[in-house]
Amino acid sequence: MTHHVLVVDDDPTVSDVVRRYLEQDGCRVRLAENGEAALAAAAAEMPDIVVLDLMMPGIDGIEVCRRLRRDAPDLPVVMLTALGEEPDRVLGLEAGADDYVTKPFSPRELTLRIRSILRRTGQADKAQARLVDGDLVADTSRRVVTIGGAPVKLTKGEFDLLVFLMSNAGRTWTHQQLLEKVWGWSVGETGTVTTAMARLRSKIQPAADSPKRIITSYGAGYRFERVGDHA
């Protein structure tokens, strides 16, 4: 199957390099030079995945990501940023990006990450259809999470991370193992895990008296503990 990739960057050199690598990998690529063009391209034909520059004149990457995910909640988005600072990564993830790549980057690594995301999202969900822990429910068929019946808005990456942890409750996973199991990367920045984990915690453990489901094993990694296991 040929995947349709929308590449959005106002630097034509970057766009051309990414296009060539993706086409060599068998993808069909459409380029957009700014946010307005990206939204118009997506409206004409929704892509399978978007590679999106953060800093652009006019409508920036954060706003483009928000608008795309509003219309297509499951659309995978990889954010490109020259900034590389954690607040900018967090901002991109909050807007709905599944991953970020810091410029300058390896086009080959970007291609591998895109392939991994497409493979993961294209697979049938083999996890249990409904994961329940007390008042926390993750419906993997509808990709919906609720706490006490109230919906919890998660990015696709946060949802995949939660489902993986709930499916393997009690086991501790290192940053590198989570990169491989959840994101499908054999190499990559472990900061991706740290940022996603912090965002996930803030959403499923919003108050000090909330059940502490995600536990940090210092020097080892993270594990999910069911509410009943605390008793």
Side-chain angles (χ1 to χ4, degrees):
M1 177 180 178
T2 300
H3 290 103
H4 173 204
V5 184
L6 175 60
V7 177
V8 188
D9 199 303
D10 61 338
D11 186 334
T13 301
V14 172
S15 295
D16 187 61
V17 170
V18 173
R19 177 188 58 78
R20 286 190 285 110
Y21 269 83
L22 290 173
E23 288 180 345
Q24 289 172 8
D25 202 51
C27 296
R28 179 167 59 90
V29 180
R30 183 167 184 175
L31 303 181
E33 70 279 6
N34 55 47
E36 291 87 347
L39 294 172
E45 181 184 6
M46 188 61 67
D48 296 309
I49 190 168
V50 179
V51 178
L52 180 61
D53 188 29
L54 175 64
M55 301 297 292
M56 294 184 296
I59 303 176
D60 65 14
I62 297 296
E63 181 60 24
V64 171
C65 186
R66 288 195 181 108
R67 295 190 192 184
L68 288 174
R69 295 305 291 272
R70 180 185 60 200
D71 297 332
D74 292 330
L75 175 66
V77 176
V78 178
M79 194 77 79
L80 300 180
T81 171
L83 303 177
E85 297 296 331
E86 183 171 346
D88 301 298
R89 296 197 298 265
V90 171
L91 197 59
L93 293 173
E94 285 180 332
D98 298 277
D99 189 13
Y100 63 89
V101 176
T102 303
K103 295 179 180 179
F105 58 87
S106 160
R108 186 56 185 163
E109 180 186 350
L110 174 62
T111 300
L112 291 173
R113 290 193 184 193
I114 290 171
R115 183 192 300 171
S116 175
I117 292 172
L118 289 170
R119 182 173 62 248
R120 188 173 74 243
T121 56
Q123 289 176 335
D125 195 340
K126 298 178 182 178
Q128 183 178 337
R130 198 165 179 266
L131 298 167
V132 181
D133 177 39
D135 63 348
L136 173 65
V137 178
D139 185 331
T140 62
S141 60
R142 296 189 300 135
R143 297 186 68 84
V144 172
V145 173
T146 58
I147 294 181
V152 180
K153 188 176 181 180
L154 301 181
T155 67
K156 196 157 68 61
E158 292 163 358
F159 180 88
D160 291 341
L161 178 59
L162 176 61
V163 167
F164 179 80
L165 291 172
M166 291 183 72
S167 299
N168 296 275
R171 177 172 174 177
T172 299
W173 300 89
T174 66
H175 288 74
Q176 185 59 45
Q177 286 174 326
L178 289 171
L179 273 178
E180 294 175 0
K181 299 292 185 179
V182 179
W183 281 266
W185 308 342
S186 58
V187 295
E189 297 182 31
T190 57
T192 298
V193 176
T194 304
T195 301
M197 195 70 73
R199 294 302 309 163
L200 178 59
R201 273 177 164 158
S202 72
K203 295 176 181 180
I204 69 169
Q205 301 172 184
D209 58 351
S210 297
K212 300 300 186 290
R213 292 179 164 105
I214 298 177
I215 308 300
T216 300
S217 298
Y218 292 99
Y222 303 97
R223 70 180 184 277
F224 187 93
E225 286 191 0
R226 299 186 181 282
V227 172
D229 295 339
H230 293 283

